[in-house]
Amino acid sequence: RGVFFAIGWSGQWEMTLLTRQQETPDAAASFRFTGGMPGVSTVLYPGEKIRTARILLMPWDGVIADANNLTRRFLLKYHTPHVDGKPAVLPLSLQSWGHSEARGKQEIDDAVRSGLPFDTYWTDAGWYGPAGSHCDDPLSNDWSENVGWYSHDPLRYPGGEGAVGQYAHDNDLRYLLWLEPDRAVEGTPTIAEHPEFYLKRNAAGASHMLNLGREDAYQWALEMLSDKIRNCHLDVLRIDYNVGPLGSWLCEDTQNRRGMTEIRAVENF
């Protein structure tokens, strides 16, 4: 018999598990579990509410396989996205870099001709950037340095941002697109248009974290992603996260509100 422990928190968390603990010298051996969000120390204003980490403690009896099956059934039932009443199935994707409209359509043709059971065409990073950028080359770092552009390179995608997604649908494939809305690089249009949305702005070329806990920044991200889903004909949205957020969150906190920037960001996420 035993207990399954888990922490549900999309931010900074920690867990400590101590075994063979005794409250008194003659007490039976036990274990001690502590876990949660380190460093959080905040006042709450009248009427203010916050969400904290979810904790799962699930006892089990039998052998290890029983614990595994019990946990799997619980996670599938309560913590897995469902479609039409059944757990969502991951797409079987043909993955490609965001090269160009012509390259994307050619690869869709190749996927259909292959007879392999692909159900989704996946455009990864590189589809965006200013005209003439080299985001189409996965060996170039332009794909990272131009995060913060949320429009297709018009030279590589002359048919517009929805051309590849529509072509995938025309060939009975779903469409998946890579996005990284939580990061933008200094000098990109998003930073220029909404500098107040970002935490700890630095020198040119530096990555900045979207302050997702700000309601106006959250609404901007929601509208931008919704527009991409509609205009690019998305069936599956891939969110990447190539920056460590903790330092930026901590720098934004005030003395008596440690952890609040992180909490609000996780709530809106």
Side-chain angles (χ1 to χ4, degrees):
R1 69 171 41 172
V3 180
F4 182 88
F5 293 94
I7 296 178
W9 184 248
S10 298
Q12 187 76 1
W13 60 269
E14 66 181 13
M15 177 191 294
T16 301
L17 188 62
L18 302 174
T19 60
R20 299 195 178 106
Q21 300 297 296
Q22 289 180 284
E23 298 298 329
T24 62
D26 57 347
S30 62
F31 61 84
R32 182 177 300 156
F33 162 82
T34 60
M37 302 145 58
V40 173
S41 177
T42 184
V43 299
L44 294 179
Y45 301 128
E48 186 178 24
K49 298 179 180 179
I50 60 172
R51 194 204 132 178
T52 58
R54 293 189 176 113
I55 305 294
L56 172 65
L57 277 69
M58 189 163 62
W60 56 270
D61 290 299
V63 296
I64 292 295
D66 296 318
N68 294 341
N69 286 329
L70 181 66
T71 304
R72 177 177 54 81
R73 290 168 186 156
F74 174 84
L75 294 176
L76 283 173
K77 185 174 182 179
Y78 295 107
H79 295 280
T80 299
H82 282 64
V83 177
D84 296 329
K86 297 180 180 179
V89 177
L90 291 175
L92 181 59
S93 304
L94 173 62
Q95 181 181 0
S96 176
W97 196 253
H99 297 285
S100 65
E101 178 183 334
R103 177 79 172 265
K105 290 179 176 179
Q106 181 60 56
E107 290 178 345
I108 290 171
D109 289 340
D110 293 341
V112 173
R113 192 162 44 247
S114 74
L116 295 172
F118 296 115
D119 58 36
T120 303
Y121 180 73
W122 174 338
T123 297
D124 208 70
W127 50 266
Y128 43 84
S133 65
H134 295 285
C135 293
D136 57 320
D137 179 5
L139 299 181
S140 164
N141 207 41
D142 276 17
W143 75 268
S144 179
E145 294 170 355
N146 283 301
V147 171
W149 286 82
Y150 294 107
S151 57
H152 285 64
D153 178 348
L155 297 183
R156 292 185 284 124
Y157 290 85
E161 62 182 6
V164 177
Q166 184 59 59
Y167 196 74
H169 287 178
D170 292 343
N171 285 273
D172 297 322
L173 293 171
R174 297 188 297 174
Y175 187 52
L176 182 156
L177 184 68
W178 180 101
L179 281 152
E180 190 180 3
D182 291 277
R183 180 172 74 96
V185 175
E186 185 74 25
T188 58
T190 307
I191 291 285
E193 293 168 12
H194 299 290
E196 73 279 8
F197 288 176
Y198 290 87
L199 301 168
K200 194 182 177 182
R201 299 182 64 233
N202 294 308
S207 291
H208 306 293
M209 280 289 306
L210 181 69
N211 187 1
L212 199 57
R214 278 184 61 132
E215 284 305 308
D216 52 357
Y218 164 73
Q219 288 298 328
W220 169 84
L222 180 63
E223 291 169 9
M224 184 273 289
L225 292 174
S226 298
D227 286 344
K228 289 299 178 188
I229 290 170
R230 285 189 298 266
N231 298 333
C232 297
H233 310 294
L234 299 191
D235 303 285
V236 186
L237 176 64
R238 159 143 162 69
I239 299 294
D240 209 342
Y241 207 97
N242 291 298
V243 61
L246 184 60
S248 296
W249 285 337
L250 293 176
C251 285
E252 188 74 8
D253 287 337
T254 56
Q255 187 63 34
N256 64 343
R257 302 271 283 178
R258 305 298 289 176
M260 283 301 296
T261 307
E262 173 186 352
I263 289 170
R264 294 302 186 213
V266 171
E267 288 173 342
N268 279 342
F269 176 76

